[in-house]
Amino acid sequence: MGLGFVPLGLAFGALVTQAGLEWWWAGLSAALIYGGSFEFLLIGMVTAAAPLAAIAGTAFMVNVRHVFYALSFPLHRVTGRLGKAYGTFALSDEAYTLTAGNEAGTWSSRRILWLQLFMHAYWAGSATAGALLGSLVPGGVTGLDFALTALFTVLALDALNDLRGDLPTPVLALLSAVAARLLFPDLLAAFALFTARLLARHFTAGRWPGRA
């Protein structure tokens, strides 16, 4: 999983230097922001001197999905205040997928935190390397832009294999959008319906251990 970060981090680092920013900006952003897709957007916003309010709003919209991750991320198994703080900060899509599956039900606090730390290191290290060596990447190299798509495809297939009679989340999102379109033609209504159904599924799964 961590190796999937490498081509993305190299591409991010190369884009940072091509945008005219200093090479250390890539490593600093990867280490402190650790926002994945938001960091790619941030390059253009920084070079365009976008207002802080616009940057904050974009960050919220891109990363608001992490609110739903908190419903099933095993933070309760992470010990210590520092561990919980880092586990919350380093919660990425990939870390969530690995820790929320059925096979991770017995993972210890140490294993969860080391997993997140290694993913964080893969991203920050590859971003720094991309910034330092970006000029050496041949222009004819293709396929790096598909790495993120391939990574999420694998994660989606693993999630489908773990399903036990539950309604898939994409289907739940589609039904919420259709219902909102018919009853309340508003994006906020669709988002509220989707949130309510996720919460209902979460609490229902908690009542029946066989579905947890």
Side-chain angles (χ1 to χ4, degrees):
M1 187 70 74
L3 291 176
F5 282 6
V6 173
L8 299 175
L10 292 174
F12 171 70
L15 287 173
V16 166
T17 55
Q18 290 176 6
L21 300 172
E22 296 292 337
W23 67 269
W24 52 262
W25 198 92
L28 186 65
S29 170
L32 299 182
I33 299 177
Y34 193 37
S37 55
F38 170 68
E39 291 182 63
F40 280 91
L41 294 174
L42 187 60
I43 295 175
M45 300 186 77
V46 169
T47 55
L52 289 178
I55 295 176
T58 302
F60 174 78
M61 294 299 296
V62 173
N63 296 317
V64 70
R65 64 189 184 279
H66 289 193
V67 174
F68 303 106
Y69 292 169
L71 296 175
S72 52
F73 180 69
L75 189 62
H76 60 282
R77 295 208 306 269
V78 177
T79 58
R81 292 184 178 180
L82 184 60
K84 289 183 182 295
Y86 181 75
T88 302
F89 165 74
L91 178 55
S92 62
D93 300 317
E94 295 78 12
Y96 169 77
T97 302
L98 291 176
T99 56
N102 294 326
E103 295 181 358
T106 59
W107 286 6
S108 64
S109 170
R110 182 183 180 89
R111 182 169 182 176
I112 293 172
L113 289 176
W114 272 112
L115 180 146
Q116 291 184 279
L117 180 62
F118 272 112
M119 288 190 174
H120 195 180
Y122 267 114
W123 177 248
S126 58
T128 303
L132 291 171
L133 306 174
S135 60
L136 302 179
V137 177
V141 173
T142 60
L144 293 180
D145 55 341
F146 186 71
L148 185 61
T149 303
L151 179 62
F152 279 104
T153 300
V154 173
L155 294 177
L157 291 176
D158 287 342
L160 288 175
N161 289 332
D162 283 340
L163 287 176
R164 295 184 177 180
D166 290 332
L167 191 64
T169 300
V171 176
L172 200 62
L174 179 61
L175 292 177
S176 300
V178 172
R181 178 66 177 177
L182 295 176
L183 301 175
F184 314 100
D186 184 81
L187 179 62
L188 183 60
F191 188 77
L193 285 174
F194 183 52
T195 303
R197 291 182 179 184
L198 285 176
L199 289 171
R201 186 175 66 178
H202 169 70
F203 289 116
T204 300
R207 293 178 182 176
W208 288 294
R211 296 182 57 200

